[in-house]
């Protein structure tokens, strides 16, 4: 698909013929009903740069060329996941028109689709690259979901994944860390899909958010300090590495660190559910609570000292 094809869907009288190139002035004269020839659907929580890049891939154009053809001036340099693309209000409208997606729908799907902070002229289409800190970077989306929503043009997309979408249950892929440029296939660990479905049920509980935050902090500490569930987690890590050879050859970090959120996910959900549904009992029942949680985690007991994060959490919340 060439740049000339981008204008094919617009009425011939509305687009001046200039060697197949859609200039800024021509774009602004196109009626609002005119759009591109493809309808490229966003992925839930997709990064703006990722979505616009997929749009460019669909038309087989470099990103700067697509933006220029849509009347958007691009400044700076970057690429997902280490940078995000910030758009002016006019640029947001131009992208929505080209993508054939109503702007309110696009805003709901793209959490970072926000106007440029210093864009005072709302009539000017502008885009700017901005670097992201490590904790703000998106992760790789499921390749099969991406290809399905990209007219088979690409399988690469980046999403600001919420915790309850760690695993794609349909295609059994996950990307728990932005440093992973390839997704992790999880079919060898079926309990991850079960944990995904349990997480969706947990979200309906009024204490779900607090319980999830506490549980993830606790299981992460256990994992890093090799406590309680080390053997189970080591086995799961080996299963993931055996079916994902790229984990053992990456130079950015160890597989144990890159897959940590994935390895501890089933127990994090089990602990979060236990914390959310723990009965409110009088002070002095911490040991009873530990026994109940051990049962939920499939452990004979939880022998924890005073510095154990779970005991500290229970003591604090029951005080």
């Amino acid at each position: 698909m060439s740049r000339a094809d981008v204008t094919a869907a617009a009425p011939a009288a509305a687009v001046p013929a200039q060697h197949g190139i859609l200039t800024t002035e021509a774009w602004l004269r196109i009626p609002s009903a005119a759009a591109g020839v493809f309808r490229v659907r966003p992925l839930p929580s997709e990064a703006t740069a990722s979505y616009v890049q997929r749009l460019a891939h669909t038309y087989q154009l470099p990103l700067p060329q697509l933006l220029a053809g849509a009347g958007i001036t691009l400044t700076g340099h970057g690429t997902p996941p280490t940078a995000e693309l910030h758009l002016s209000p006019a640029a947001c409208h131009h992208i929505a028109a080209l993508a054939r997606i109503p702007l309110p729908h696009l805003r709901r799907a793209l959490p970072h689709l926000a106007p440029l902070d210093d864009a005072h002229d709302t009539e000017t289409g502008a885009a700017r690259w901005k670097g992201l800190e490590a904790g703000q970077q998106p992760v790789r989306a499921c390749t099969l979901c991406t290809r399905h929503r990209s007219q088979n043009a690409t399988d690469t997309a980046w999403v600001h994944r919420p915790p309850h979408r760690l695993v794609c249950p349909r295609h059994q892929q996950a990307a728990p860390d932005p440093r992973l440029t390839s997704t992790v296939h999880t079919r060898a660990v079926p309990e991850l899909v079960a944990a995904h479905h349990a997480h969706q049920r947990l979200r309906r509980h009024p204490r779900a958010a607090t319980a999830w935050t506490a549980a993830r902090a606790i299981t992460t500490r256990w994992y890093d300090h090799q406590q309680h569930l080390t053997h189970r987690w080591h086995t799961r890590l080996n299963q993931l590495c055996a079916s994902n050879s790229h984990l053992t050859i990456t130079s950015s970090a160890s597989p144990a660190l890159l897959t940590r959120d994935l390895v501890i996910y089933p127990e994090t959900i089990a602990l979060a559910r236990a914390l959310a549904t723990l009965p409110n009992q009088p002070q002095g029942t911490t040991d009873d609570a530990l026994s109940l949680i051990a049962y939920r985690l499939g452990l004979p007991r939880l022998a924890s000292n005073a510095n154990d994060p779970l005991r500290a959490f229970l003591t604090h919340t029951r005080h």
Side-chain angles (χ1 to χ4, degrees):
M1 188 67 60
S2 66
R3 178 184 289 192
D5 295 320
V6 177
T7 65
V15 183
Q18 296 183 3
H19 306 292
I21 297 177
L22 182 60
T23 64
T24 302
E25 293 77 16
W27 174 270
L28 294 176
R29 289 199 297 271
I30 296 176
S32 59
V37 296
F38 293 125
R39 186 174 186 269
V40 179
R41 293 185 297 157
L43 293 160
S45 304
E46 187 169 4
T48 304
S50 170
Y51 178 71
V52 179
Q53 184 70 70
R54 286 201 299 117
L55 195 60
H57 278 144
T58 302
Y59 286 102
Q60 298 184 18
L61 291 172
L63 177 62
Q65 196 172 354
L66 178 87
L67 293 177
I72 300 172
T73 302
L74 176 64
T75 58
H77 300 277
T79 184
T82 57
E84 180 59 293
L85 197 62
H86 289 214
L87 304 178
S88 69
C92 292
H93 283 280
H94 291 347
I95 291 298
L98 180 61
R100 302 173 63 195
I101 304 288
L103 185 56
H105 296 180
L106 207 56
R107 288 192 186 279
R108 283 195 293 270
L110 309 180
H112 287 192
L113 184 66
L116 288 168
D117 297 335
D118 56 356
H120 302 294
D121 184 0
T122 58
E123 300 300 321
T124 302
R128 183 181 67 219
W129 284 106
K130 185 175 181 180
L132 296 174
E133 299 292 335
Q136 300 175 323
Q137 292 177 12
V139 297
R140 182 77 183 268
C142 170
T143 58
L144 296 178
C145 288
T146 301
R147 185 167 289 282
H148 176 68
R149 296 199 179 199
S150 304
Q151 306 287 337
N152 287 321
T154 180
D155 63 3
T156 302
W158 301 89
V159 293
H160 295 279
R161 172 189 51 74
H164 65 277
R165 293 192 182 128
L166 177 61
V167 178
C168 172
R170 180 178 181 182
H171 302 120
Q172 298 192 45
Q173 292 186 31
D177 192 285
R179 289 169 292 185
L180 283 168
T181 57
S182 300
T183 58
V184 177
H185 295 275
T186 63
R187 292 188 185 278
V189 190
E191 61 264 33
L192 292 175
V193 171
H196 167 85
H197 294 305
H199 201 165
Q200 312 317 304
R201 295 190 296 271
L202 171 67
R203 294 179 65 225
R204 296 193 288 266
H205 195 282
R207 288 185 284 176
T210 301
W212 163 259
T213 301
R216 185 175 181 274
I218 291 167
T219 53
T220 298
R221 173 77 176 274
W222 286 350
Y223 184 86
D224 291 344
H225 290 261
Q226 300 186 32
Q227 294 176 292
H228 304 306
L229 295 152
T230 301
H231 177 73
R232 186 187 305 177
W233 285 337
H234 186 69
T235 300
R236 190 173 296 148
L237 173 62
N238 286 340
Q239 290 172 327
L240 289 172
C241 289
S243 55
N244 294 274
S245 58
H246 60 279
L247 288 175
T248 58
I249 61 176
T250 181
S251 59
S252 59
S254 68
L257 184 59
L258 291 173
T259 64
R260 179 176 60 189
D261 284 354
L262 205 55
V263 170
I264 66 176
Y265 188 48
E267 288 71 33
T268 302
I269 293 299
L271 178 57
R273 292 179 66 190
L275 296 178
T277 58
L278 212 57
N280 292 321
Q281 295 179 340
Q283 183 181 352
T285 59
T286 299
D287 288 337
D288 292 337
L290 286 172
S291 296
L292 176 60
I293 291 171
Y295 173 77
R296 297 282 186 88
L297 292 174
L299 295 172
R301 63 190 180 93
L302 271 171
S304 60
N305 56 41
N307 295 323
D308 187 90
L310 177 58
R311 178 177 286 275
F313 175 81
L314 293 174
T315 301
H316 175 75
T317 55
R318 284 160 131 56
H319 203 279

